[in-house]
Amino acid sequence: MIRRTSLAVVMLALISPLLHAAEPVTLRVGDVKGDRLVALKASGELDNLPYQLKFSTFDSGAPVQEALNAGALDVGFTGDLPFLYVFAAGAPVKAVGAWQNNPDSIALLTRPGAGIHSLAGLKGKRIAVNRGGWGQYLVLGLLKRAGLTPSDVSLRFLSPTDGRAALASGSVDAWAPWEPYLSSAILLDHALRVPGGGGQGIMSGYSFVLARDDAINSNKRSAIADLLTRLALAQRWAQQHPQQFATALADSLQMPVNVTRAWVASARISPVVFNPAIRQALQHSADVFHQQHVLPDAVNVTNAFDYSLAGGANRVAATPLTTPLREQP
C-alpha cells in the first residue's frame, strides 16, 4: 500500500505540469465603450480562437488603468494619455500595440445660449474635462491656441457621462468629449462644436493596447500577440465596411444607428505600425502635462513600450487598405 501510494504521488508530480500546460489560456481584457469588442465580433476575428477571452467594458480609460494596475486585467484598450499616469506611478504595464483616431473626433462642445462662438469666448467659462485624459489635454492646447491660460477658465473634472449631463443641464458652458460621446451629444442633446475646437494639431489621436508585464512574460504572451493581429484585422474590416460596423455597434451597444454612423465617420479608426515614432508622440504629451503641472514630475516614457509582440499587427497596418483581409503574410 505504501509503495502504491508513493508511486501515485510520483506520477501525479510528473503529470501535473502537463495537465497545467493543457489548460486553455484566458486573457482578461478591458475595453472602453466596447467598440473594439464589436469590431472583433462583427469581423469574425473571434472565431476559432485558440485561447479564451474575458471582456469587461468601462466608460473611460482611467478605470481600465486601475484594473490593470490592480491585476484584474491582463490587457486593456485605452487612450494614450491615461496611460501616462499609471506608468509614471510605476505600474507594471507596457504599451504593446496601437491604433489611431481622427484627432478632430476629440473636440470641444458647447450648448446653445452659452455665448461661446470662438475660442476667445472661453474666457470666464466653466469647462468639463476628464482629469489627466484627452479632455484636459485638448482644453489646455485650445487655451494656448486662443492666447488664454488655465486660470482664465474654470475646469470641472467630470467623467464622460457626468460631463455630458452637466453640459445638457447648463451647469457647465463647454465640455471636451471624444467618440462616441461627441456624436451622442451633438445628435441627441443638440450640443454645438466650438469653432476651432477640434483636436487637429493638438492631439495625437493614438490609443494603446496595454498589457501587464506578468502577462507578457507568461504563457499568455502568444495569445496577446495574436489578439493584436486580430484587432488590427478587425479595424481594417471596419474601415472597409463602415455601414455594417455602425449597425453592429448600434445593435451591440443599444445606441441609435444615426449616432453610431456619425461615430464611425468621425473617429476614422485605423491600425498603425507600432514603432518608436509613437513613443515620441507620447513623450511630447508627457512633457506638455508636466509643463502644465498636471504631472508633478517629468516622465521619461522610453521604457513604457514593448514592440516585440506587434509583428503581425504591424504587417496588417502596413498593408494597403484595399488588400483582402486574412491574406497577410
Side-chain angles (χ1 to χ4, degrees):
M1 178 67 73
I2 293 174
R3 287 178 180 174
R4 288 179 180 176
T5 302
S6 299
L7 180 59
V9 170
V10 171
M11 291 299 293
L12 183 61
L14 292 173
I15 294 172
S16 289
L18 297 177
L19 293 174
H20 180 72
E23 293 177 0
V25 168
T26 298
L27 282 184
R28 301 165 300 164
V29 182
D31 193 8
V32 177
K33 206 59 180 179
D35 57 296
R36 264 69 63 176
L37 175 58
V38 174
L40 284 162
K41 284 182 176 178
S43 64
E45 290 300 327
L46 293 187
D47 297 344
N48 303 315
L49 281 178
Y51 48 89
Q52 297 179 359
L53 287 181
K54 181 180 179 182
F55 264 93
S56 300
T57 301
F58 302 82
D59 69 348
S60 65
V64 175
Q65 308 286 352
E66 293 167 6
L68 278 168
N69 193 30
L73 297 174
D74 302 306
V75 174
F77 303 147
T78 182
D80 55 348
L81 296 177
F83 175 45
L84 282 174
Y85 281 83
V86 293
F87 175 73
V93 177
K94 287 186 173 58
V96 295
W99 67 92
Q100 191 170 32
N101 303 266
N102 167 26
D104 276 339
S105 67
I106 309 154
L108 190 64
L109 299 181
T110 188
R111 52 183 172 79
I116 301 175
H117 306 293
S118 67
L119 294 181
L122 295 175
K123 188 170 184 178
K125 301 298 185 180
R126 302 160 297 175
I127 306 175
V129 299
N130 61 319
R131 185 190 296 272
W134 279 352
Q136 186 174 10
Y137 192 88
L138 173 67
V139 168
L140 290 174
L142 293 176
L143 292 174
K144 182 177 180 181
R145 181 179 287 174
L148 301 174
T149 68
S151 61
D152 289 320
V153 300
S154 175
L155 294 183
R156 307 290 175 86
F157 296 110
L158 299 173
S159 70
T161 302
D162 291 339
R164 179 181 173 184
L167 183 65
S169 68
S171 59
V172 298
D173 305 299
W175 170 46
W178 53 94
E179 294 293 359
Y181 303 105
L182 185 73
S183 289
S184 295
I186 291 172
L187 293 175
L188 303 181
D189 304 337
H190 309 294
L192 305 171
R193 284 178 175 265
V194 174
Q200 192 68 47
I202 296 174
M203 313 297 300
S204 73
Y206 288 129
S207 287
F208 293 149
V209 180
L210 306 177
R212 284 182 57 86
D213 292 341
D214 53 10
I216 294 171
N217 298 315
S218 73
N219 63 339
K220 298 183 179 185
R221 178 181 179 85
S222 60
I224 296 172
D226 181 75
L227 179 61
L228 290 174
T229 303
R230 290 173 184 266
L231 178 61
L233 285 165
Q235 291 172 332
R236 272 285 187 251
W237 174 88
Q239 286 181 297
Q240 294 169 340
H241 304 84
Q243 297 306 315
Q244 288 176 246
F245 183 40
T247 300
L249 285 169
D251 292 344
S252 179
L253 302 180
Q254 301 299 299
M255 298 177 68
V257 72
N258 65 326
V259 172
T260 58
R261 285 173 180 164
W263 169 10
V264 170
S266 168
R268 302 205 299 270
I269 294 172
S270 176
V272 295
V273 175
F274 190 61
N275 61 24
I278 292 176
R279 176 184 58 78
Q280 294 167 12
L282 186 65
Q283 185 63 64
H284 174 74
S285 298
D287 294 343
V288 169
F289 261 170
H290 176 54
Q291 293 163 6
Q292 295 289 343
H293 310 292
V294 179
L295 284 170
D297 300 310
V299 178
N300 185 329
V301 304
T302 300
N303 296 322
F305 298 85
D306 185 331
Y307 304 104
S308 65
L309 287 81
N314 283 350
R315 287 191 289 274
V316 174
T319 301
L321 183 59
T322 54
T323 299
L325 295 173
R326 279 293 176 194
E327 291 190 6
Q328 323 303 331

